[in-house]
Coordinates of all heavy atoms in Angstrom, one line a residue:
Chain A
I1371 N -10.3 -3.3 4.9 CA -8.9 -3.6 5.2 C -8.3 -4.1 3.9 O -8.8 -5.0 3.3 CB -8.8 -4.7 6.3 CG1 -9.2 -4.1 7.6 CG2 -7.3 -5.1 6.4 CD1 -8.3 -3.0 8.3
H1372 N -7.2 -3.4 3.5 CA -6.4 -3.8 2.3 C -5.2 -4.6 2.8 O -4.7 -4.4 3.9 CB -6.0 -2.6 1.6 CG -7.0 -2.0 0.8 ND1 -6.9 -1.8 -0.6 CD2 -8.2 -1.4 1.1 CE1 -8.0 -1.2 -1.1 NE2 -8.8 -0.9 0.0
W1373 N -4.8 -5.5 1.9 CA -3.5 -6.2 2.1 C -2.6 -5.9 1.0 O -2.9 -6.0 -0.2 CB -3.8 -7.7 2.2 CG -4.6 -8.1 3.4 CD1 -5.9 -8.2 3.6 CD2 -4.0 -8.4 4.7 NE1 -6.2 -8.5 4.9 CE2 -5.1 -8.7 5.6 CE3 -2.7 -8.5 5.2 CZ2 -4.9 -9.0 6.9 CZ3 -2.5 -8.9 6.5 CH2 -3.6 -9.1 7.4
V1374 N -1.3 -5.5 1.4 CA -0.3 -5.1 0.4 C 1.0 -5.8 0.8 O 1.3 -5.9 2.0 CB -0.1 -3.6 0.5 CG1 1.0 -3.1 -0.4 CG2 -1.4 -2.8 0.2
R1375 N 1.7 -6.2 -0.2 CA 3.0 -6.9 0.1 C 4.2 -6.1 -0.6 O 4.0 -5.4 -1.5 CB 3.0 -8.3 -0.2 CG 3.2 -8.6 -1.7 CD 3.3 -10.1 -1.9 NE 3.6 -10.5 -3.3 CZ 3.7 -11.7 -3.8 NH1 3.5 -12.8 -2.9 NH2 4.1 -11.9 -5.0
Q1376 N 5.3 -6.4 0.0 CA 6.5 -5.7 -0.6 C 7.7 -6.7 -0.5 O 8.2 -7.0 0.6 CB 6.9 -4.5 0.2 CG 8.0 -3.7 -0.4 CD 8.2 -2.3 0.3 OE1 8.0 -2.2 1.5 NE2 8.5 -1.3 -0.4
A1377 N 8.1 -7.2 -1.6 CA 9.2 -8.1 -1.7 C 10.5 -7.3 -1.5 O 10.5 -6.1 -1.6 CB 9.3 -8.8 -3.1
P1378 N 11.6 -8.0 -1.0 CA 12.8 -7.3 -0.7 C 13.3 -6.4 -1.9 O 13.4 -6.8 -3.0 CB 13.8 -8.4 -0.5 CG 13.0 -9.5 0.0 CD 11.7 -9.4 -0.8
G1379 N 13.5 -5.1 -1.6 CA 13.9 -4.1 -2.6 C 13.0 -3.8 -3.7 O 13.3 -3.2 -4.7
Q1380 N 11.7 -4.2 -3.5 CA 10.7 -4.0 -4.6 C 9.6 -3.0 -4.2 O 9.6 -2.5 -3.0 CB 10.1 -5.4 -4.9 CG 11.0 -6.4 -5.4 CD 11.8 -6.0 -6.7 OE1 11.1 -5.6 -7.7 NE2 13.1 -6.1 -6.7
S1381 N 8.7 -2.8 -5.1 CA 7.7 -1.9 -4.9 C 6.5 -2.5 -4.1 O 6.6 -3.7 -3.7 CB 7.1 -1.4 -6.2 OG 6.0 -0.5 -6.0
L1382 N 5.5 -1.8 -3.9 CA 4.3 -2.3 -3.2 C 3.4 -3.0 -4.1 O 3.3 -2.6 -5.3 CB 3.6 -1.1 -2.5 CG 4.4 -0.3 -1.5 CD1 3.7 1.0 -1.2 CD2 4.7 -1.1 -0.3
E1383 N 2.7 -4.0 -3.7 CA 1.8 -4.8 -4.5 C 0.5 -5.1 -3.8 O 0.6 -5.7 -2.7 CB 2.5 -6.1 -5.0 CG 1.8 -7.0 -5.9 CD 2.6 -8.1 -6.4 OE1 3.4 -8.7 -5.6 OE2 2.4 -8.6 -7.6
S1384 N -0.6 -4.8 -4.4 CA -1.9 -5.1 -3.7 C -2.3 -6.5 -3.9 O -2.3 -7.0 -5.0 CB -2.9 -4.1 -4.3 OG -4.2 -4.5 -3.8
L1385 N -2.8 -7.1 -2.8 CA -3.3 -8.5 -2.9 C -4.9 -8.4 -2.9 O -5.5 -9.3 -3.4 CB -3.0 -9.3 -1.6 CG -1.6 -9.9 -1.6 CD1 -0.6 -8.8 -1.1 CD2 -1.5 -11.1 -0.7
G1386 N -5.4 -7.2 -2.5 CA -6.8 -7.0 -2.6 C -7.3 -6.4 -1.2 O -6.5 -5.9 -0.5
W1387 N -8.6 -6.5 -1.0 CA -9.2 -6.0 0.2 C -10.5 -6.6 0.6 O -11.1 -7.4 -0.2 CB -9.4 -4.4 0.1 CG -10.5 -4.0 -0.8 CD1 -11.8 -3.7 -0.6 CD2 -10.3 -3.7 -2.2 NE1 -12.4 -3.3 -1.7 CE2 -11.5 -3.3 -2.7 CE3 -9.2 -3.8 -3.1 CZ2 -11.7 -2.9 -4.1 CZ3 -9.4 -3.4 -4.4 CH2 -10.6 -3.0 -4.9
M1388 N -10.9 -6.3 1.8 CA -12.1 -6.9 2.3 C -13.0 -5.8 2.9 O -12.5 -5.0 3.7 CB -11.8 -8.0 3.4 CG -13.0 -8.6 4.0 SD -12.6 -10.0 5.1 CE -14.1 -10.9 5.1
H1389 N -14.3 -5.8 2.6 CA -15.2 -5.0 3.3 C -15.5 -5.6 4.6 O -16.2 -6.6 4.6 CB -16.5 -4.8 2.4 CG -16.2 -4.1 1.1 ND1 -16.4 -2.7 1.0 CD2 -15.7 -4.5 -0.1 CE1 -16.1 -2.3 -0.2 NE2 -15.7 -3.4 -0.9
T1390 N -15.1 -5.0 5.7 CA -15.2 -5.7 7.0 C -16.7 -5.7 7.5 O -17.0 -6.5 8.3 CB -14.3 -5.0 8.0 OG1 -14.6 -3.6 8.0 CG2 -12.9 -5.3 7.7
G1391 N -17.5 -4.8 6.9 CA -18.9 -4.8 7.3 C -19.7 -5.9 6.7 O -20.3 -6.7 7.5
N1392 N -19.7 -6.1 5.4 CA -20.5 -7.1 4.8 C -19.7 -8.3 4.4 O -20.3 -9.3 3.9 CB -21.2 -6.5 3.6 CG -20.3 -6.0 2.5 OD1 -19.1 -6.4 2.4 ND2 -20.8 -5.1 1.6
G1393 N -18.4 -8.3 4.5 CA -17.6 -9.5 4.3 C -17.2 -9.6 2.8 O -16.5 -10.6 2.4
N1394 N -17.6 -8.7 1.9 CA -17.2 -8.8 0.5 C -15.7 -8.7 0.3 O -15.1 -8.0 1.0 CB -17.9 -7.7 -0.3 CG -19.4 -8.0 -0.6 OD1 -19.8 -9.1 -0.3 ND2 -20.1 -7.1 -1.1
R1395 N -15.2 -9.5 -0.6 CA -13.8 -9.6 -0.8 C -13.5 -9.3 -2.3 O -14.2 -9.7 -3.2 CB -13.2 -11.0 -0.5 CG -13.5 -11.4 0.9 CD -13.4 -13.0 1.0 NE -13.7 -13.5 2.3 CZ -14.9 -13.8 2.8 NH1 -15.9 -13.6 2.0 NH2 -15.0 -14.3 4.0
I1396 N -12.4 -8.5 -2.5 CA -11.9 -8.2 -3.8 C -10.5 -8.7 -3.9 O -9.7 -8.2 -3.1 CB -12.0 -6.7 -4.2 CG1 -13.4 -6.1 -4.0 CG2 -11.5 -6.5 -5.6 CD1 -14.4 -6.7 -4.8
Y1397 N -10.2 -9.6 -4.7 CA -8.9 -10.2 -4.8 C -8.2 -9.7 -6.1 O -8.8 -9.7 -7.2 CB -8.9 -11.7 -4.8 CG -9.4 -12.3 -3.5 CD1 -10.5 -13.2 -3.6 CD2 -8.8 -12.0 -2.3 CE1 -11.0 -13.8 -2.4 CE2 -9.3 -12.6 -1.1 CZ -10.4 -13.5 -1.2 OH -10.9 -14.0 0.0
S1398 N -7.0 -9.3 -6.0 CA -6.2 -8.9 -7.2 C -6.1 -10.2 -8.0 O -5.9 -11.3 -7.5 CB -4.8 -8.4 -6.8 OG -4.9 -7.1 -6.2
Q1399 N -6.1 -10.0 -9.3 CA -6.2 -11.1 -10.2 C -5.0 -12.0 -10.1 O -5.1 -13.3 -10.2 CB -6.3 -10.6 -11.7 CG -6.5 -11.7 -12.7 CD -6.8 -11.2 -14.1 OE1 -6.5 -10.1 -14.4 NE2 -7.5 -12.0 -14.8
K1400 N -3.8 -11.5 -9.8 CA -2.6 -12.3 -9.7 C -2.7 -13.3 -8.6 O -2.1 -14.4 -8.7 CB -1.4 -11.3 -9.4 CG -0.1 -12.0 -9.2 CD 1.0 -11.1 -9.0 CE 2.3 -11.8 -8.7 NZ 3.5 -10.8 -8.6
F1401 N -3.4 -13.0 -7.5 CA -3.5 -13.8 -6.4 C -4.8 -14.6 -6.2 O -5.0 -15.4 -5.3 CB -3.3 -13.0 -5.1 CG -2.0 -12.3 -5.1 CD1 -1.9 -11.0 -5.5 CD2 -0.8 -13.0 -4.7 CE1 -0.7 -10.3 -5.5 CE2 0.4 -12.3 -4.8 CZ 0.5 -11.0 -5.1
Q1402 N -5.7 -14.4 -7.2 CA -7.0 -15.1 -7.1 C -6.8 -16.6 -7.1 O -6.0 -17.2 -7.8 CB -7.8 -14.8 -8.4 CG -9.2 -15.1 -8.4 CD -10.1 -13.9 -8.1 OE1 -9.7 -12.8 -8.5 NE2 -11.3 -14.1 -7.6
G1403 N -7.5 -17.2 -6.1 CA -7.3 -18.7 -6.0 C -6.3 -19.1 -5.0 O -6.2 -20.3 -4.5
R1404 N -5.4 -18.2 -4.6 CA -4.4 -18.5 -3.6 C -4.5 -17.7 -2.3 O -3.9 -18.1 -1.3 CB -3.0 -18.2 -4.2 CG -2.4 -19.3 -5.0 CD -0.8 -19.3 -4.9 NE -0.2 -18.1 -5.2 CZ 0.9 -17.7 -4.6 NH1 1.5 -18.4 -3.7 NH2 1.5 -16.5 -5.0
V1405 N -5.2 -16.6 -2.4 CA -5.3 -15.8 -1.2 C -6.8 -15.8 -0.7 O -7.7 -15.8 -1.5 CB -4.8 -14.4 -1.5 CG1 -5.8 -13.6 -2.4 CG2 -4.6 -13.6 -0.2
T1406 N -6.9 -15.7 0.6 CA -8.2 -15.7 1.2 C -8.2 -14.6 2.4 O -7.3 -14.7 3.2 CB -8.7 -17.0 1.8 OG1 -8.6 -18.0 0.8 CG2 -10.1 -17.0 2.4
F1407 N -9.2 -13.7 2.3 CA -9.4 -12.8 3.4 C -10.5 -13.2 4.3 O -11.6 -13.5 3.8 CB -9.6 -11.4 2.9 CG -8.6 -10.8 1.9 CD1 -9.0 -10.1 0.8 CD2 -7.3 -11.1 2.1 CE1 -8.1 -9.6 -0.1 CE2 -6.3 -10.6 1.2 CZ -6.7 -9.9 0.1
T1408 N -10.3 -13.1 5.6 CA -11.4 -13.3 6.5 C -11.4 -12.3 7.6 O -10.4 -11.5 7.7 CB -11.3 -14.7 7.2 OG1 -10.0 -14.9 7.8 CG2 -11.5 -15.8 6.1
R1409 N -12.4 -12.3 8.5 CA -12.4 -11.3 9.6 C -13.2 -11.9 10.7 O -14.1 -12.7 10.5 CB -12.8 -9.9 9.2 CG -14.3 -9.6 9.4 CD -15.1 -10.1 8.2 NE -16.5 -9.5 8.2 CZ -17.6 -10.1 7.9 NH1 -17.5 -11.4 7.5 NH2 -18.7 -9.5 7.9
D1410 N -12.8 -11.4 11.9 CA -13.6 -11.7 13.1 C -14.0 -10.4 13.7 O -13.2 -9.6 14.3 CB -12.7 -12.4 14.1 CG -13.3 -12.8 15.4 OD1 -14.4 -12.2 15.7 OD2 -12.8 -13.6 16.2
T1411 N -15.3 -10.0 13.5 CA -15.7 -8.7 13.9 C -15.7 -8.5 15.4 O -15.5 -7.4 15.9 CB -17.1 -8.4 13.3 OG1 -18.0 -9.4 13.7 CG2 -17.1 -8.3 11.8
S1412 N -16.0 -9.6 16.1 CA -16.0 -9.5 17.6 C -14.6 -9.2 18.1 O -14.5 -8.6 19.2 CB -16.5 -10.8 18.2 OG -15.6 -11.9 18.0
A1413 N -13.6 -9.5 17.4 CA -12.2 -9.2 17.8 C -11.6 -8.1 17.0 O -10.4 -7.8 17.2 CB -11.4 -10.5 17.7
S1414 N -12.3 -7.5 16.1 CA -11.8 -6.4 15.3 C -10.5 -6.8 14.6 O -9.6 -6.0 14.5 CB -11.6 -5.1 16.2 OG -12.8 -4.7 16.7
T1415 N -10.5 -8.0 14.1 CA -9.3 -8.5 13.5 C -9.5 -9.0 12.1 O -10.6 -9.7 11.9 CB -8.7 -9.6 14.4 OG1 -8.4 -9.1 15.7 CG2 -7.4 -10.2 13.8
A1416 N -8.6 -8.7 11.2 CA -8.7 -9.2 9.8 C -7.6 -10.2 9.6 O -6.5 -10.2 10.3 CB -8.6 -8.1 8.9
Y1417 N -7.8 -11.1 8.7 CA -6.8 -12.2 8.4 C -6.6 -12.3 6.9 O -7.5 -12.1 6.1 CB -7.3 -13.5 8.9 CG -7.6 -13.6 10.4 CD1 -8.9 -13.3 10.9 CD2 -6.6 -13.9 11.3 CE1 -9.1 -13.3 12.2 CE2 -6.9 -13.9 12.7 CZ -8.1 -13.6 13.1 OH -8.4 -13.6 14.5
M1418 N -5.3 -12.7 6.6 CA -5.0 -12.9 5.2 C -4.3 -14.3 5.2 O -3.3 -14.5 5.9 CB -4.0 -11.8 4.7 CG -3.6 -11.9 3.2 SD -2.3 -13.1 2.8 CE -1.0 -12.5 3.8
E1419 N -4.8 -15.2 4.4 CA -4.1 -16.5 4.2 C -3.7 -16.7 2.8 O -4.5 -16.5 1.9 CB -5.1 -17.6 4.6 CG -4.4 -19.0 4.6 CD -5.3 -20.1 5.2 OE1 -6.5 -19.9 5.4 OE2 -4.7 -21.2 5.5
L1420 N -2.4 -17.0 2.6 CA -1.9 -17.2 1.3 C -1.4 -18.7 1.2 O -0.7 -19.2 2.1 CB -0.7 -16.3 1.0 CG -0.1 -16.3 -0.4 CD1 -1.1 -15.9 -1.4 CD2 1.2 -15.4 -0.4
S1421 N -1.9 -19.4 0.2 CA -1.6 -20.8 0.1 C -0.6 -21.1 -1.0 O -0.3 -20.2 -1.8 CB -2.9 -21.6 -0.1 OG -3.5 -21.2 -1.3
N1422 N -0.2 -22.4 -1.1 CA 0.7 -22.8 -2.1 C 1.9 -21.9 -2.3 O 2.2 -21.4 -3.4 CB 0.0 -23.0 -3.4 CG 0.8 -23.8 -4.5 OD1 1.8 -24.5 -4.1 ND2 0.5 -23.6 -5.7
L1423 N 2.6 -21.6 -1.1 CA 3.6 -20.6 -1.1 C 4.8 -21.0 -2.1 O 5.2 -22.2 -2.2 CB 4.2 -20.4 0.3 CG 3.2 -19.7 1.2 CD1 3.7 -19.8 2.7 CD2 3.1 -18.2 0.8
K1424 N 5.3 -20.0 -2.7 CA 6.5 -20.1 -3.6 C 7.6 -19.3 -3.0 O 7.4 -18.4 -2.2 CB 6.1 -19.7 -5.0 CG 4.8 -20.2 -5.5 CD 4.4 -19.6 -6.8 CE 3.0 -19.8 -7.2 NZ 2.6 -21.2 -7.2
F1425 N 8.8 -19.5 -3.5 CA 10.0 -18.8 -3.0 C 9.7 -17.3 -3.2 O 10.1 -16.4 -2.4 CB 11.3 -19.2 -3.7 CG 11.7 -20.6 -3.3 CD1 11.9 -21.6 -4.2 CD2 12.0 -20.8 -2.0 CE1 12.3 -22.8 -3.8 CE2 12.5 -22.1 -1.6 CZ 12.6 -23.1 -2.5
E1426 N 9.1 -16.9 -4.3 CA 8.9 -15.5 -4.7 C 7.8 -14.8 -3.8 O 7.6 -13.6 -4.0 CB 8.6 -15.4 -6.2 CG 7.5 -16.2 -6.7 CD 8.0 -17.5 -7.3 OE1 9.0 -18.1 -6.8 OE2 7.4 -18.0 -8.3
D1427 N 7.2 -15.6 -2.9 CA 6.2 -15.0 -2.0 C 6.9 -14.4 -0.8 O 6.2 -13.8 0.0 CB 5.2 -16.0 -1.6 CG 4.2 -16.4 -2.7 OD1 3.8 -15.5 -3.5 OD2 3.9 -17.6 -2.8
R1428 N 8.2 -14.6 -0.7 CA 8.9 -14.0 0.4 C 8.8 -12.5 0.3 O 9.1 -11.8 -0.7 CB 10.4 -14.3 0.3 CG 11.2 -13.6 1.4 CD 12.7 -13.8 1.3 NE 13.4 -12.9 2.2 CZ 13.8 -13.2 3.4 NH1 13.5 -14.4 3.9 NH2 14.5 -12.3 4.2
A1429 N 8.2 -11.9 1.4 CA 7.9 -10.4 1.4 C 7.5 -10.0 2.7 O 7.2 -10.9 3.6 CB 6.8 -10.1 0.3
V1430 N 7.4 -8.7 2.9 CA 6.7 -8.2 4.1 C 5.2 -7.9 3.7 O 5.0 -7.3 2.6 CB 7.3 -6.8 4.5 CG1 6.5 -6.2 5.7 CG2 8.8 -7.1 5.0
Y1431 N 4.3 -8.4 4.4 CA 2.9 -8.3 4.2 C 2.3 -7.3 5.1 O 2.5 -7.4 6.3 CB 2.2 -9.6 4.3 CG 2.6 -10.6 3.2 CD1 3.8 -11.2 3.2 CD2 1.7 -10.8 2.1 CE1 4.2 -12.0 2.1 CE2 2.0 -11.6 1.1 CZ 3.3 -12.3 1.1 OH 3.6 -13.1 0.0
Y1432 N 1.6 -6.3 4.6 CA 1.0 -5.2 5.4 C -0.5 -5.3 5.3 O -1.0 -5.5 4.2 CB 1.4 -3.8 4.8 CG 2.9 -3.5 4.9 CD1 3.7 -3.5 3.8 CD2 3.4 -3.0 6.2 CE1 5.1 -3.2 3.9 CE2 4.8 -2.7 6.3 CZ 5.6 -2.7 5.2 OH 6.9 -2.4 5.3
C1433 N -1.2 -5.0 6.4 CA -2.6 -4.7 6.3 C -2.7 -3.1 6.4 O -1.8 -2.5 7.0 CB -3.4 -5.4 7.4 SG -2.9 -4.9 9.1
A1434 N -3.7 -2.6 5.8 CA -3.9 -1.1 5.9 C -5.4 -0.8 5.9 O -6.2 -1.5 5.2 CB -3.2 -0.5 4.7
R1435 N -5.7 0.2 6.7 CA -7.1 0.6 6.7 C -7.5 1.5 5.6 O -6.7 2.5 5.3 CB -7.4 1.3 8.1 CG -8.9 1.6 8.3 CD -9.1 2.5 9.5 NE -9.0 3.9 9.2 CZ -9.5 4.9 9.9 NH1 -10.2 4.6 11.0 NH2 -9.4 6.1 9.5
A1436 N -8.6 1.3 4.9 CA -9.1 2.2 3.9 C -9.9 3.3 4.5 O -10.6 3.0 5.5 CB -9.9 1.4 2.9
N1437 N -9.8 4.4 3.9 CA -10.6 5.6 4.4 C -12.0 5.5 4.0 O -12.5 6.2 3.1 CB -9.9 6.9 3.9 CG -10.6 8.1 4.5 OD1 -11.2 8.9 3.7 ND2 -10.5 8.3 5.8

Side-chain angles (χ1 to χ4, degrees):
Chain A
I1371 292 289
H1372 283 238
W1373 292 90
V1374 177
R1375 78 177 187 180
Q1376 187 172 37
Q1380 301 300 309
S1381 178
L1382 304 168
E1383 184 174 34
S1384 171
L1385 285 80
W1387 68 92
M1388 180 175 199
H1389 294 263
T1390 51
N1392 60 22
N1394 284 350
R1395 305 158 180 85
I1396 307 295
Y1397 297 122
S1398 292
Q1399 187 168 26
K1400 176 177 177 179
F1401 300 98
Q1402 195 102 26
R1404 273 212 308 144
V1405 70
T1406 304
F1407 304 143
T1408 56
R1409 91 278 196 217
D1410 179 346
T1411 56
S1412 66
S1414 299
T1415 300
Y1417 302 90
M1418 183 282 299
E1419 184 169 18
L1420 187 62
S1421 62
N1422 192 19
L1423 287 168
K1424 312 172 196 308
F1425 291 120
E1426 52 266 35
D1427 290 320
R1428 176 189 170 90
V1430 175
Y1431 289 76
Y1432 295 102
C1433 62
R1435 189 188 84 156
N1437 184 245

